């Protein structure tokens, strides 16, 4: 029988929420649980930095600690939080009406949006009270939430406060404000545990995918013509081979020297994701650049089988060579392309599209569907809808002339307009174009 590797789950939040989530999480035998309690949500980035090496997935008690984690960007591990839904709200309303037997006149809420609250009241046979809501979307402190509720109560605008914050609940009660706490429900906790476990299992499955590098010296025939002898060629190849062996050792992989400047490395996806920082940089490229006056390109392919990974690696190397010299590209198992790695023009795009609208648009623009997908990815990276032909050419790995032709076709199809000129020193000013992204998206969605 196959033994499943345990998943290290970090549960983060105030003490009472962490205790409840931990209790429910103990139902899952696959989990090792790390219960991490804070006094204030601002402590979350520090907690992650300290514990991230021991964690597979992070589960937060609510939206605020999750936002602290997400905004700090100190981990690449999956992040989830327990959402507060209508069932959480019903429990608080039940306590207000049946347990405390309070008159529901004016209530202040946080975290929920107004529609959720109104729908919850619509499901129970009472008159909807006057409602005040702070449904923050960015990081907010417990102190700010406490002040929000307390000020409404002081002003006579609310007579009851309902909060998701433990410290706010405690402080408002001390101040004499009738306050009720929203807790995560057991069903919501179980749902998020299932999602978190599934995500880690998916990552582990992908991490074990076969990974193949195809690596080639650019313009190998020209290199042979330039050097004095075959001995010199072999010295260059052996020096490169030494760097490749060091890299292969990092990957815990194996390497084949195929001859004529070609090499193949076999490994697995998980370790490559880690070494390339989720396919953004290529340490080997930087090592070759600093140690050798040699242009080397590479393609990395992934797949569930050796055949699929090999096909994708060949496609990635071909794309790298289309992009120029010393380029490194990745083709994932879903045929999406990432790269060039360690480059300012790094993009992620689909190698093809089954969308008939996109195929038709590519025909109208007289470009390949791959080029269209690449252009859309490039437009997302620009800070502005304004672009010149030179920058577009750089991202698409095409000539400036081809980029001008593409921009002209976009204008002719009502998908771009002229946007003036920009000066470039003493040379001729460059024409600027505004890409009408909304119209392109409309074509894509029609």
């Amino acid at each position: 029988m196959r033994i499943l590797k345990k998943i290290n789950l970090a549960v983060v939040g105030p003490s009472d929420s962490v205790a409840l989530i931990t209790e429910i999480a103990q139902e899952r035998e696959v989990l090792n649980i790390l219960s991490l309690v804070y006094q204030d949500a601002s402590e979350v980035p520090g907690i992650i930095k300290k514990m991230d090496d021991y964690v597979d997935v992070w589960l937060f008690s609510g939206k605020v600690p999750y936002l602290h984690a997400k905004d700090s960007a100190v981990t690449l591990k999956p992040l989830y939080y327990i959402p507060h839904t209508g069932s959480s709200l019903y429990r608080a309303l039940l306590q207000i009406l049946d347990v405390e037997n309070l008159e529901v006149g004016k209530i202040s809420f946080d975290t929920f949006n107004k529609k959720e609250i109104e729908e919850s009241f619509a499901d129970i046979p009472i008159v909807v009270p006057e409602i005040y809501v702070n449904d923050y979307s960015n990081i907010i402190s417990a102190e700010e939430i406490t002040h929000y509720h307390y000020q409404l109560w002081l002003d006579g605008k609310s007579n009851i406060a309902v909060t998701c914050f433990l410290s706010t609940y405690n402080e408002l009660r001390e101040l004499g404000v009738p306050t009720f706490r929203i807790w995560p429900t057991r069903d919501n906790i179980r749902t998020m545990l299932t999602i978190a476990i599934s995500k880690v299992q998916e990552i582990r499955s992908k991490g074990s995918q076969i990974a193949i590098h195809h690596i080639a010296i650019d313009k190998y025939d020209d290199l042979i013509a330039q050097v004095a002898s075959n001995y010199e060629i072999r010295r260059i190849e052996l020096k490169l081979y030494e760097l490749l062996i060091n890299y292969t050792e990092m990957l815990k992989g194996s390497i084949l020297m195929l001859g004529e400047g070609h090499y193949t490395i076999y490994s697995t996806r998980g370790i490559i994701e880690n070494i390339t920082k989720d396919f953004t940089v290529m340490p080997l490229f930087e090592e070759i650049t600093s140690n050798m006056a040699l242009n080397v390109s590479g393609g990395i392919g992934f797949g569930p089988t050796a055949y699929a990974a090999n096909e994708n690696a060949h496609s990635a190397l071909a794309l790298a060579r289309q992009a120029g010299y010393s380029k490194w590209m990745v083709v994932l198992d879903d045929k999406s392309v990432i790269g060039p790695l360690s480059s300012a023009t790094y993009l992620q795009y689909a190698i093809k599209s089954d969308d008939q609208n996109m195929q038709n648009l590519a025909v109208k623009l007289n470009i390949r569907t791959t080029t269209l997908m690449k252009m859309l990815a490039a437009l997302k990276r620009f800070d502005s809808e304004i672009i010149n032909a030179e920058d577009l050419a750089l991202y698409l790995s095409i000539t400036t002339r081809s980029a001008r032709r593409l921009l002209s076709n976009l204008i002719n199809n009502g998908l771009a307009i002229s946007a003036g000129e920009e000066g470039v020193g003493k040379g001729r000013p460059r024409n600027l174009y505004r890409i009408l992204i909304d119209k392109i998206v409309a074509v894509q969605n029609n």
Side-chain angles (χ1 to χ4, degrees), residues 63 82-93 108-118 120 131-137 145 148-149 162-165 180-185 188:
K63 186 162 73 170
I82 309 296
H84 294 295
T85 59
S87 52
S88 303
L89 194 56
Y90 289 138
R91 184 165 59 186
L93 295 177
S108 60
F109 293 88
D110 59 61
T111 307
F112 290 91
N113 63 55
K114 193 169 185 178
K115 183 179 179 183
E116 288 176 312
I117 296 166
E118 289 175 342
S120 295
I131 294 170
Y132 296 89
V133 181
N134 187 333
D135 59 340
Y136 52 89
S137 57
I145 289 292
Y148 150 76
H149 286 291
V162 177
T163 181
C164 297
F165 291 68
F180 297 86
R181 174 92 191 282
I182 294 287
W183 290 67
T185 65
N188 284 348

Side-chain angles (χ1 to χ4, degrees), residues 29-279:
E29 292 183 2
V30 73
L31 293 176
N32 281 326
I33 306 158
L34 293 153
S35 301
L36 304 171
V37 174
Y38 60 68
Q39 298 302 315
D40 189 272
S42 62
E43 300 168 33
V44 165
I47 291 172
I48 295 175
K49 285 179 183 178
K50 183 178 179 181
M51 302 300 297
D52 199 42
D53 289 343
Y54 309 101
V55 173
D56 294 313
V57 59
W58 292 88
L59 181 60
F60 300 94
S61 61
K63 186 162 73 170
V64 168
Y66 167 81
L67 290 174
H68 274 284
K70 185 178 177 183
D71 284 12
S72 66
V74 291
T75 180
L76 296 175
K77 307 288 177 58
L79 307 172
Y80 295 101
Y81 71 92
I82 309 296
H84 294 295
T85 59
S87 52
S88 303
L89 194 56
Y90 289 138
R91 184 165 59 186
L93 295 177
L94 179 65
Q95 187 178 4
I96 293 169
L97 293 168
D98 287 355
V99 178
E100 301 292 338
N101 203 22
L102 294 176
E103 180 183 345
V104 179
K106 298 170 285 186
I107 307 180
S108 60
F109 293 88
D110 59 61
T111 307
F112 290 91
N113 63 55
K114 193 169 185 178
K115 183 179 179 183
E116 288 176 312
I117 296 166
E118 289 175 342
E119 287 180 349
S120 295
F121 275 102
D123 290 337
I124 53 180
I126 65 169
V127 177
V128 178
E130 191 171 350
I131 294 170
Y132 296 89
V133 181
N134 187 333
D135 59 340
Y136 52 89
S137 57
N138 296 315
I139 290 175
I140 193 168
S141 69
E143 184 180 358
E144 290 174 284
I145 289 292
T146 302
H147 176 76
Y148 150 76
H149 286 291
Y150 188 55
Q151 195 61 51
L152 286 171
W153 183 74
L154 284 178
D155 293 344
K157 294 181 178 179
S158 73
N159 61 342
I160 295 173
V162 177
T163 181
C164 297
F165 291 68
L166 174 60
S167 58
T168 294
Y169 169 79
N170 289 333
E171 190 170 347
L172 288 175
R173 298 283 286 194
E174 288 179 6
L175 291 168
V177 181
T179 308
F180 297 86
R181 174 92 191 282
I182 294 287
W183 290 67
T185 65
R186 292 172 181 266
D187 281 347
N188 284 348
I189 293 170
R190 290 189 177 101
T191 297
M192 294 314 300
L193 288 171
T194 299
I195 291 170
I197 291 168
S198 297
K199 183 61 176 179
V200 174
Q201 290 172 339
E202 176 192 340
I203 290 170
R204 287 180 176 174
S205 175
K206 283 196 170 184
S208 63
Q209 279 186 348
I210 297 168
I212 296 178
H213 294 59
H214 285 313
I215 300 164
I217 297 173
D218 294 323
K219 298 287 185 179
Y220 183 76
D221 291 341
D222 291 350
L223 179 64
I224 292 174
Q226 291 168 11
V227 299
S229 67
N230 284 337
Y231 297 113
E232 186 62 25
I233 283 288
R234 298 297 168 257
R235 289 190 188 97
I236 292 170
E237 289 181 327
L238 287 171
K239 186 173 182 180
L240 174 60
Y241 188 56
E242 184 179 355
L243 296 177
L244 294 178
I245 287 175
N246 293 338
Y247 175 68
T248 304
E249 186 178 15
M250 289 171 59
L251 297 180
K252 297 180 173 59
S254 60
I255 182 170
L256 292 177
M257 187 174 184
L258 304 177
E260 297 188 341
H262 283 75
Y263 308 82
T264 300
I265 296 174
Y266 299 90
S267 185
T268 55
R269 175 170 177 159
I271 195 164
I272 294 172
E273 282 185 333
N274 184 45
I275 286 174
T276 62
K277 297 182 180 177
D278 278 345
F279 313 129

